[in-house]
Amino acid sequence: MRVHEEASEDKEREVEEAPDLMPLSPPPTAAATAAAVAVAGQRLVVGYALTKKKVKSFLQPKLLSLARKKSIHFVSIDETRPLSEQGPFDIILHKLTDKEWQQVLEDYREEHPEVTVLDPPNAIQHLHNRQSMLQEVADLNLSNAYGEVCTPRQLVIMKDPLSIPSAVAKAGLTLPLVAKPLIVDGTSKSHELSLAYVETSLSMLDPPLVLQEFVNHGGILFKVYVVGETIRVVRRFSLPDVNIYDLENNDGIFRFPRVSCATNTAEDAEVDPSIAELPPKPLLEKLGRELRRRLGLRLFNFDMIREHGRKDRYYVIDINYFPGYGKMPGYEHIFIDFLLSLVQNKYKRRLSGS
């Protein structure tokens, strides 16, 4: 797993040079990989099944231009036609939540094991429900010389808002609590947050949802993108810390839109260095590598916070499949290199007969 730390980048800024990545072990260069593709006599065909919004944000002109130079061709998949009649594909990218489509893709994977599907639908399902989303992080119980990675204490509420106060008391959760929709379906609504300061406001929430204990973190969130074996970190503004005054003077539900979006970048902001400091690279490398293996995914990101006043305690609070890579500075080079590495690895296996 290789890490690239991002400093002072903006959502709209174009990154003209390939990012300077620091690998754990030297990866093949893009030129060498492209040469391997050429030697194998291949034209890399990437089929994609994405929403219109995702197509617009991900398949940007610079990515498509770079892809053409590397003999990579992106082809739209027609969902109204049998998938087996389309292609042939070397790789399939997808982010559609329709159950019928997911079954089509699972069947296609069984019939065409030579095609790399990013990522397996059954693995993605794990991240569509916030009850199970963070379980692998909790089970990992990661703690080393560089820090400790935790998950917030949480409670799932399926129905009956009036039962929430007693359920919270029984679970022993401490206010304030962050409320998140239980199901993540790719809509902006599924990423909205609510903050409840007092017990009497809990019955105003709308199940099904997950309640997480709020952890003060200096108002800074670290968004960690994973693309295969590469990870990249950006700072974003988050919810501000909660103090005694807030608890005593707020008695309602405060609703927030998507908090960690790219417009909330904190790269150029004047922030206390102890708060803005990125998590240690070895810790991120270990966490990224383990989540990639445990989740069975190669395209995802996770939101991480550092507990205010605890330099070495971190919390993973959300994980997303195939996130908005178009908002990640330099994503074009990273993604193209990733696609080429998949082909080279497949080519090597073919030569070795494995």
Side-chain angles (χ1 to χ4, degrees):
M1 186 70 64
R2 42 187 176 158
V3 179
H4 181 79
E5 301 172 356
E6 180 58 34
S8 65
E9 294 282 1
D10 187 80
K11 176 184 177 183
E12 301 298 333
R13 179 176 173 183
E14 286 281 328
V15 181
E16 296 302 331
E17 299 297 330
D20 181 18
L21 302 175
M22 293 172 284
L24 287 179
S25 58
T29 64
T33 307
V37 173
V39 169
Q42 289 184 333
R43 183 184 75 154
L44 181 58
V45 179
V46 181
Y48 63 88
L50 306 170
T51 63
K52 291 181 179 179
K53 181 180 178 181
K54 195 70 175 179
V55 169
K56 183 178 180 180
S57 67
F58 177 68
L59 294 177
Q60 296 182 21
K62 186 176 179 182
L63 176 72
L64 296 176
S65 175
L66 184 60
R68 284 192 294 270
K69 293 177 182 178
K70 304 293 184 180
S71 296
I72 298 175
H73 298 265
F74 287 94
V75 178
S76 176
I77 292 174
D78 185 349
E79 300 165 59
T80 66
R81 295 174 51 208
L83 189 55
S84 59
E85 295 179 3
Q86 302 179 63
F89 304 113
D90 298 292
I91 297 170
I92 290 180
L93 291 173
H94 69 101
K95 192 177 182 180
L96 298 177
T97 57
D98 180 78
K99 290 185 178 180
E100 183 177 347
W101 159 257
Q102 292 172 8
Q103 187 58 54
V104 167
L105 199 54
E106 285 287 7
D107 294 342
Y108 183 85
R109 289 182 67 224
E110 292 184 9
E111 297 171 6
H112 300 273
E114 75 282 2
V115 178
T116 302
V117 175
L118 298 171
D119 276 307
N122 56 358
I124 298 169
Q125 286 299 314
H126 193 74
L127 301 185
H128 285 170
N129 188 311
R130 285 195 167 95
Q131 183 172 12
S132 59
M133 176 188 288
L134 302 180
Q135 191 58 50
E136 293 296 345
V137 181
D139 292 345
L140 180 56
N141 195 27
L142 177 57
S143 179
N144 58 27
Y146 298 98
E148 174 188 9
V149 179
C150 313
T151 58
R153 296 177 63 205
Q154 69 177 36
L155 173 68
V156 175
I157 304 293
M158 296 302 298
K159 55 185 179 179
D160 189 8
L162 296 179
S163 70
I164 298 179
S166 60
V168 167
K170 184 176 180 180
L173 266 60
T174 302
L175 292 159
L177 296 174
V178 178
K180 303 178 180 181
L182 178 62
I183 302 301
V184 181
D185 58 8
T187 63
S188 58
K189 186 174 178 60
S190 68
H191 292 283
E192 292 179 351
L193 308 180
S194 298
L195 191 60
Y197 288 95
V198 295
E199 181 180 320
T200 54
S201 66
L202 294 174
S203 57
M204 299 167 60
L205 295 170
D206 185 21
L209 52 80
V210 168
L211 295 173
Q212 293 180 346
E213 286 187 332
F214 181 79
V215 177
N216 279 341
H217 52 284
I220 293 294
L221 174 149
F222 305 104
K223 188 166 284 289
V224 185
Y225 292 92
V226 178
V227 183
E229 296 184 356
T230 300
I231 65 177
R232 192 166 189 172
V233 191
V234 297
R235 298 181 192 87
R236 298 275 170 82
F237 284 116
S238 179
L239 299 180
D241 286 352
V242 174
N243 54 36
I244 297 297
Y245 178 85
D246 295 324
L247 292 173
E248 293 178 347
N249 291 274
N250 292 294
D251 57 3
I253 295 292
F254 292 81
R255 304 186 189 278
F256 301 87
R258 192 163 188 163
V259 173
S260 61
C261 62
T263 54
N264 286 341
T265 178
E267 295 301 333
D268 296 324
E270 294 184 6
V271 182
D272 183 339
S274 66
I275 295 174
E277 180 184 4
L278 295 176
K281 289 186 290 185
L283 186 69
L284 290 179
E285 290 167 346
K286 174 69 172 178
L287 178 58
R289 185 165 52 240
E290 285 295 329
L291 286 181
R292 181 172 174 265
R293 180 179 64 84
R294 287 168 174 259
L295 295 173
L297 300 174
R298 285 176 277 194
L299 300 176
F300 63 95
N301 74 359
F302 55 91
D303 293 342
M304 174 183 274
I305 59 175
R306 177 193 292 114
E307 184 175 349
H308 198 184
R310 293 291 300 270
K311 180 178 175 61
D312 60 352
R313 177 175 289 177
Y314 300 88
Y315 289 82
V316 173
I317 58 175
D318 224 7
I319 308 176
N320 298 289
Y321 168 67
F322 204 151
Y325 287 115
K327 304 169 187 175
M328 181 181 79
Y331 87 100
E332 301 94 342
H333 293 276
I334 294 174
F335 214 93
I336 292 300
D337 285 353
F338 166 62
L339 295 177
L340 290 173
S341 71
L342 294 177
V343 177
Q344 186 178 57
N345 290 338
K346 190 182 298 184
Y347 180 58
K348 286 181 177 179
R349 289 194 297 270
R350 189 181 303 161
L351 288 178
S352 64
S354 59

